[in-house]
Amino acid sequence: MNKVMYSILRVLDRQQNIMGSTELARELLPHGIELSERTVRHYLKLLDENGLTFVQGKRGRTITEKGRSELNNSFVSEKVNFVISKMDSLSYLTDFNLDAMKGNIILNISFFAEKKLRDALRVITEVFNSPYVMCNRIIMAKSGERIGDIVIPEGTIGLGTVCSVTLNGIFLKAGIPVASKYGGVMEIQEGIAKRFVSLISYEGSSLDPLEIFIRSRMTDINGAIKQNNGKILASFREIPVVSVNEAENLSNKMIRKGIGGKILFGKPNQPLLDIPVGADKVGMIVVGGLNPIGAAEESGVHTESMAMSTLYEYSKLLSFNDAVSSILYQ
């Protein structure tokens, strides 16, 4: 396994389609790899011999399950800083217009078994009726269908929820730079945010921190909703002191439009919930977009999530109730 082979597997896994050497050579360019079709075919042959790709006749290759396993477990050095780099790239590519309520936002995509659909909906409905979601508009799809460029695996339901990094993009378009610092688990007491009990820095991380907290069962989102005492997913960010008034006005506008959930601002150059900030910075806490999925996991519904999965046109999202009705009675 080397960088080229790793990148080919990444492209095949991302596209979920049969791809030939011509298309692969083109898709490798954004990864900083420029190869001829002949050289791509050489690497594909090596991947075939190792059982990491499968030849689909003259049409090209697909990635195998062994290939996906190798992709997840190898070349960790290539994934260092992956999360923060992806955040920055997607923030720039977000072109959502808050006034028109149109444009691309960032989606998290999660999967759970079709047979667990009603169990999952019973739990996440309560989350979408709480202040602990980024947005009450979602997209749902059945196996074989697509959400953006992600194909829903066999036997599963796909759920696309608005990612909190969308806020970075909206702020950036307004001229407010946002630095994403930590993903964490935040304790709620009597309905009020009290402190972070766990934090992982986005800088240098190869995995999304919120996915780690969900898999580790470190949340109590259901408790926060039902008893006003629990632990939710949230992220800690920083903005320049000079932008705080504009940022507060923009966040209020977002909330009126149904985007953003609870956003907490600190005071200039002062810690927020005991988390220090840089010079001439203000701390900002944003609810995690994966809180519905965390609640489902707490209730015994196994999920797989892909944070910051894809860009998606906001106007194509449905209200939570409409999306649920569509998937149940399709």
Side-chain angles (χ1 to χ4, degrees), residues 72-144:
N72 289 332
N73 296 318
S74 70
F75 244 66
V76 174
S77 62
E78 283 296 306
K79 302 175 186 177
V80 173
N81 289 324
F82 170 75
V83 173
I84 195 69
S85 297
K86 190 172 184 180
M87 281 180 158
D88 291 342
S89 297
L90 289 175
S91 297
Y92 177 80
L93 292 171
T94 301
D95 60 4
F96 178 68
N97 185 310
L98 192 56
D99 293 316
M101 298 299 284
K102 291 183 179 180
N104 286 318
I105 48 85
I106 305 163
L107 285 187
N108 304 312
I109 299 181
S110 304
F111 313 105
F112 51 85
E114 289 180 352
K115 61 184 180 181
K116 289 287 188 177
L117 174 59
R118 293 187 181 276
D119 292 336
L121 290 178
R122 193 176 302 115
V123 178
I124 64 176
T125 296
E126 295 189 32
V127 186
F128 276 95
N129 289 327
S130 79
Y132 304 127
V133 288
M134 267 296 296
C135 181
N136 65 356
R137 299 182 75 84
I138 63 169
I139 186 72
M140 298 186 76
K142 294 184 175 180
S143 60

Side-chain angles (χ1 to χ4, degrees), residues 142-187:
K142 294 184 175 180
S143 60
E145 299 177 343
R146 283 179 174 269
I147 298 179
D149 55 5
I150 304 298
V151 178
I152 310 306
E154 186 69 28
T156 67
I157 297 291
L159 170 63
T161 55
V162 175
C163 177
S164 67
V165 181
T166 298
L167 179 146
N168 294 29
I170 295 172
F171 274 40
L172 183 62
K173 296 301 181 290
I176 305 171
V178 179
S180 296
K181 305 299 288 184
Y182 309 103
V185 177
M186 187 168 70
E187 185 175 7

